Amino acid sequence: MRRKKALIVYYTQTGQLKSIVDSVCNSLQEEFDFTFEELKPTPAFPFPWTGMSFYQAFPESVQETPCELEPFAFDPDDDFDLIILAYQVWYLSPSIPFTAFLQSPGARVMKDKPVITILGCRNMWIMAQQRVKKRIHDLGGKLVGNIVLADKHHNLVSVVTIVHWMLKGEKYGKGIYSTLFPVAGISERDIKDAQNFGPIIRDAFVNNKLESLQDDLLEKGAIHIKPVLMTVEKRGFMMFKPWSKFVLKKGGAGNPAREGRLKMFRAYLFTVIYLVSPIGGAIIWLIHKINYRKIQKLVYYYSHVK
Ligand SMILES: Cc1cc2nc3c(=O)[nH]c(=O)nc-3n(C[C@H](O)[C@H](O)[C@H](O)COP(=O)(O)O)c2cc1C
């Protein structure tokens, strides 16, 4: 009998997403031959992100404007049994390199194929996944599973640690910073435990149970949605759209003329995160208590793949 073939498409700056993918796929090796396709933007996005480059990625992320990618090594017309798409979130949107893949001719590889998405992010991914879901569907792919690993520290803490990590390249930090703040990113424990998802995926393929794969993954904790964060993210995304258009009026990707508006956006972002969101979060929490059923329905919807 022919061994099954899986294509894994991913991009990672720090290696975090690749270690999640390896953990999930570890036990799938008995069943599948893997083809790994690492997306390589040209030019590469800097890491650590220097100067304003971190904010320069904002408008294109939100508007899903692709960057250039090096040619793919895989054959898009190959007949894979499973496609795994591993991506990270940038500004509540699919990261630009991943967006570029989804809009490339190579993405036709998904046509009529089961697709599983794996996300490694800070804690806000729902708006990105909604758009990724739609693109997979439009490409003829069948999304059968979604696994999300996120930083479980408090929202206000993980903002500090992610920005520190991204701008300084230090995951652990130094000196007084490292005594005040936890290690940035997704915990090693959660990355290791992601290996528990492999046997579920394997079982779904062997026993032809792809329809119930997401429910089985959810039972093992593939997704944890915090309702208040979900609503904060949705409100935040509504504001990101006009902000990105406002910056784009000053020029395209990387244009230095955008810096003034990007600095305004940066001030807005941190004001919202540190001043507005704690009070807003408390109000949202109260409103959720009143709309309990509606919120539960939304959590259910965003946890699933349809
Ligand atoms: C420019 C930029 C914007 C980001 N925006 C978000 C975000 O909106 N939501 C989120 O959960 N994580 C966000 N992150 C964190 C990433 O999703 C990811 O966890 C981090 O970049 C490490 O991924 P990698 O090293 O595997 O590429 C952002 C990271 C970058 C670099």
Side-chain angles (χ1 to χ4, degrees):
M1 212 176 83
R2 166 174 99 77
R3 274 172 65 74
K4 292 191 183 353
K5 292 197 299 185
L7 172 69
I8 301 176
V9 179
Y10 72 98
Y11 168 75
T12 185
Q13 289 199 298
T14 65
Q16 176 176 263
L17 194 52
K18 178 65 165 52
S19 47
I20 296 168
V21 166
D22 288 343
S23 186
V24 173
C25 294
N26 199 6
S27 59
L28 287 175
Q29 285 175 22
E30 286 169 31
E31 207 62 35
F32 289 91
D33 286 330
F34 290 120
T35 300
F36 284 93
E37 182 68 41
E38 181 176 4
L39 302 176
K40 297 203 175 103
T42 49
F45 287 91
F47 185 78
W49 294 74
T50 45
M52 287 301 286
S53 63
F54 185 75
Y55 302 97
Q56 281 283 10
F58 163 69
E60 283 69 30
S61 299
V62 173
Q63 294 295 329
E64 295 176 81
T65 308
C67 60
E68 291 289 323
L69 292 176
E70 280 184 22
F72 305 134
F74 76 94
D75 175 4
D77 297 312
D78 207 339
D79 187 19
F80 290 101
D81 301 283
L82 166 65
I83 315 285
I84 294 180
L85 304 179
Y87 74 96
Q88 57 287 94
V89 180
W90 288 0
Y91 296 108
L92 312 182
S93 310
S95 66
I96 299 171
F98 183 65
T99 280
F101 167 74
L102 288 177
Q103 294 181 33
S104 72
R108 70 177 181 275
V109 70
M110 278 185 258
K111 185 150 177 43
D112 300 326
K113 302 283 185 258
V115 178
I116 294 175
T117 43
I118 300 179
L119 285 88
C121 62
R122 186 176 73 84
N123 62 13
M124 293 195 184
W125 54 273
I126 290 172
M127 294 293 100
Q129 181 69 357
Q130 284 307 102
R131 284 173 285 161
V132 170
K133 259 187 199 177
K134 181 168 185 323
R135 286 199 187 268
I136 293 171
H137 180 264
D138 292 349
L139 286 157
K142 190 169 185 311
L143 186 63
V144 293
N146 182 30
I147 298 167
V148 180
L149 267 67
D151 183 336
K152 289 185 179 151
H153 290 103
H154 190 280
N155 188 38
L156 300 183
V157 173
S158 64
V159 170
V160 174
T161 55
I162 195 95
V163 170
H164 185 88
W165 187 20
M166 294 298 121
L167 299 188
K168 292 205 182 305
E170 292 169 11
K171 189 173 164 73
Y172 297 88
K174 289 181 189 143
I176 183 102
Y177 170 90
S178 66
T179 53
L180 289 176
F181 291 100
V183 179
I186 297 155
S187 79
E188 288 301 320
R189 172 95 250 158
D190 287 349
I191 294 177
K192 188 168 179 288
D193 286 351
Q195 66 188 352
N196 296 332
F197 302 126
I200 298 169
I201 297 170
R202 188 171 163 270
D203 179 53
F205 271 86
V206 173
N207 297 312
N208 222 353
K209 293 196 311 190
L210 288 178
E211 284 303 322
S212 61
L213 173 60
Q214 185 61 12
D215 282 323
D216 297 339
L217 287 170
L218 287 175
E219 229 169 79
K220 279 273 175 198
I223 290 179
H224 296 278
I225 293 182
K226 291 185 182 165
V228 171
L229 278 187
M230 171 184 81
T231 304
V232 168
E233 179 185 345
K234 286 171 81 172
R235 298 281 168 270
F237 187 65
M238 276 163 63
M239 294 311 295
F240 274 16
K241 288 221 154 161
W243 265 107
S244 61
K245 285 187 187 148
F246 175 66
V247 176
L248 278 166
K249 285 196 181 124
K250 285 284 176 186
N255 192 327
R258 312 196 305 182
E259 285 195 3
R261 290 187 178 196
L262 284 171
K263 282 179 185 158
M264 286 163 68
F265 168 69
R266 181 176 62 185
Y268 160 82
L269 188 64
F270 286 97
T271 309
V272 168
I273 291 173
Y274 283 102
L275 294 181
V276 182
S277 83
I279 305 157
I283 297 168
I284 290 168
W285 183 82
L286 266 175
I287 295 172
H288 281 189
K289 288 275 164 213
I290 300 161
N291 294 331
Y292 182 76
R293 274 170 177 274
K294 189 177 152 208
I295 298 305
Q296 288 309 308
K297 270 191 192 161
L298 274 178
V299 169
Y300 181 91
Y301 171 69
Y302 290 132
S303 306
H304 284 80
V305 289
K306 294 258 162 37

